């Protein structure tokens, strides 16, 4: 038992100094509870306010797509360079080292395949399992204008409500069916609906015209998907334009893991997102990192034997 005689009363209360009250760094997130903010601060870098999310959840409806044949070989070596991992619980448990300590944005909707109608999803993960794997956020697809729009919105709101019980934020993912045009009008509609229904951040696509209006009209942070594989300079240019016009980062998959040099590419993407590097300079970085590995005689396609230590 502590000796009460030795307990000193505090004296230095700095009475004339008002208590500090922080404004949370992410747009639209100041009224959230501490746990939600803490998790969002793991997904987004509090210094830059941005994130490089590495997306490799494609298998949940596409199966073993190019570049994701072996998550242990293709993705694990990229983990040290990502801020957050967008993945399924199956990939996480089977292939991702628990020591990786990166924020996990857990894919929580599913239930269809590329062989069927894409918008026909359900909630595919119980909130308890998201907690069990220590998810920093849950991701759910919303198909505005899609055949199963209503059902996908129901999936979104049910996960948001479950997440509020435990302080886990939800990422609304705007799923755009083939029949819909990815223009500012459509993306503005879809992202705003997701945010108004309570999504804490929203994943969307970049569009050449009017993207700033999409960002301004969405009251929570937006991250952009990479989309189909582009030449590296084009992908870096897209990422640059997106963050320059207000996106809070990228959720990029194929343009990283399908690149000829995935580590060089994710490092180049980081330089754009976190250091405002121009696309040209980031591409130079990509090329020099790629060439370094070439001249060292290394295989640009990663192998587990030289997986860097995961931090
Ligand atoms: C789609 O399967 C997923 O939601 C992906 O996470 C998303 O499309 C981002 O990946 P990519 O940059 O390859 O489009």
């Amino acid at each position: 038992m502590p000796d009460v005689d030795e307990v000193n009363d505090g004296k230095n209360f700095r009475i004339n100094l008002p208590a500090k009250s922080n404004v949370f760094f992410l747009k639209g997130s100041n009224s959230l509870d501490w746990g939600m903010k803490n998790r969002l601060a793991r997904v987004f870098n509090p210094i830059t306010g941005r994130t490089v999310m590495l997306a490799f959840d494609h298998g949940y409806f596409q199966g073993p797509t190019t570049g994701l044949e072996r998550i242990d070989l293709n993705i694990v070596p990229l983990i040290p360079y990502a801020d957050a991992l967008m993945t399924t619980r199956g990939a996480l448990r089977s292939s991702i080292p628990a020591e990786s300590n990166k924020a996990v944005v857990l894919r929580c909707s599913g239930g269809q395949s590329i062989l069927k109608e894409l918008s026909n999803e359900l909630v595919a993960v119980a909130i308890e399992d998201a907690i069990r794997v220590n998810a920093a956020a849950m991701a759910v697809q919303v198909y505005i204008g899609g055949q199963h729009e209503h059902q996908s919105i129901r999936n979104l709101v049910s996960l948001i409500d479950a997440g509020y019980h435990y302080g886990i934020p939800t990422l609304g993912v705007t799923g755009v069916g083939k029949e819909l045009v990815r223009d500012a009008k459509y993306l503005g509609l879809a992202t705003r609906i997701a945010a108004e229904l309570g999504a804490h951040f929203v994943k969307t696509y970049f569009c050449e015209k009017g993207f700033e209006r999409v960002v301004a009209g969405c009251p929570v942070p937006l991250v952009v998907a990479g989309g189909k594989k582009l030449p590296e300079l084009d992908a870096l240019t897209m990422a640059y334009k997106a963050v320059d016009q207000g996106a809070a980062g990228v959720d990029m998959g194929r343009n990283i893991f399908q690149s000829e040099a995935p580590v060089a590419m994710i490092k180049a993407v980081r330089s754009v997102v976190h250091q405002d590097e121009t696309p040209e300079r980031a591409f130079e970085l990509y090329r020099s990192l790629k060439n370094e590995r070439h001249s060292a005689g290394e295989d640009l396609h990663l192998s587990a034997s030289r997986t860097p230590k995961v931090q």
Side-chain angles (χ1 to χ4, degrees):
M1 192 175 156
D3 186 345
V4 284
D5 291 342
E6 286 186 11
V7 174
N8 289 322
D9 272 350
K11 293 184 185 63
N12 197 5
F13 290 101
R14 318 276 295 266
I15 285 163
N16 296 324
L17 203 59
K20 276 191 184 165
S21 173
N22 291 334
V23 175
F24 191 62
F25 70 102
L26 286 177
K27 174 179 171 180
S29 312
N30 204 43
S31 302
L32 298 176
D33 190 24
W34 196 94
M36 286 249 184
K37 288 178 176 165
N38 181 261
R39 288 183 175 90
L40 286 169
R42 297 189 58 222
V43 175
F44 293 89
N45 180 325
I47 296 168
T48 64
R50 293 177 183 163
T51 184
V52 173
M53 289 172 55
L54 176 63
F56 54 98
D57 58 325
H58 307 59
Y60 92 96
F61 72 106
Q62 290 184 7
T65 195
T66 306
L68 289 185
E69 296 88 345
R70 288 283 303 271
I71 289 173
D72 58 334
L73 302 184
N74 304 138
I75 294 297
V76 171
L78 304 175
I79 291 176
Y81 313 106
D83 297 306
L85 310 176
M86 166 99 165
T87 184
T88 61
R89 60 178 169 181
L92 194 64
R93 285 197 170 100
S94 61
S95 312
I96 303 300
E99 303 89 312
S100 72
N101 207 23
K102 295 282 175 171
V104 169
V105 178
L106 189 67
R107 155 67 54 187
C108 288
S109 65
Q112 88 292 43
S113 78
I114 40 169
L115 305 178
K116 292 275 177 72
E117 165 56 36
L118 287 186
S119 64
N120 194 9
E121 286 198 342
L122 43 82
V123 172
V125 175
I127 184 75
E128 290 78 9
D129 208 35
I131 297 166
R132 208 173 279 127
V133 298
N134 196 26
M138 299 178 290
V140 54
Q141 212 92 357
V142 263
Y143 290 92
I144 302 303
Q147 196 178 319
H148 297 277
E149 173 188 274
H150 180 77
Q151 183 181 313
S152 72
I153 289 177
R154 203 168 51 198
N155 296 340
L156 174 74
V157 295
S158 69
L159 277 171
I160 290 169
D161 282 333
Y164 267 116
H165 277 288
Y166 301 102
I168 303 184
T170 301
L171 167 65
V173 178
T174 56
V176 188
K178 285 197 180 95
E179 66 288 358
L180 295 163
V181 186
R182 294 178 189 183
D183 60 11
K185 192 171 174 198
Y186 174 78
L187 298 175
L189 174 77
T191 55
R192 180 63 173 259
I193 289 173
E196 294 256 0
L197 290 170
H200 302 97
F201 56 126
V202 178
K203 187 177 93 173
T204 188
Y205 294 91
F206 178 70
C207 58
E208 286 293 340
K209 278 170 77 176
F211 185 72
E212 277 172 317
R213 290 210 313 273
V214 178
V215 174
C218 182
V220 296
L222 284 183
V223 291
V224 293
K228 67 177 196 288
K229 174 76 174 71
L230 301 168
E232 277 74 7
L233 178 58
D234 293 356
L236 293 166
T237 302
M238 190 212 36
Y240 179 85
K241 287 181 181 170
V243 294
D244 187 52
Q245 292 175 37
V250 296
D251 182 23
M252 192 176 271
R254 286 163 288 178
N255 277 292
I256 293 171
F257 62 69
Q258 291 179 353
S259 168
E260 201 187 330
V263 168
M265 186 58 181
I266 194 171
K267 285 182 169 178
V269 171
R270 285 194 76 77
S271 75
V272 168
V273 170
H274 288 305
Q275 292 154 25
D276 289 314
E277 200 59 278
T278 62
E280 293 74 21
R281 285 175 61 98
F283 183 61
E284 266 318 300
L285 174 67
Y286 165 76
R287 281 220 306 214
S288 67
L289 291 169
K290 184 179 142 187
N291 292 339
E292 264 173 33
R293 304 194 68 168
H294 259 315
S295 52
E298 287 186 52
D299 176 8
L300 293 172
H301 292 278
L302 304 151
S303 76
S305 59
R306 51 186 171 69
T307 298
K309 195 166 163 49
V310 174
Q311 299 141 10

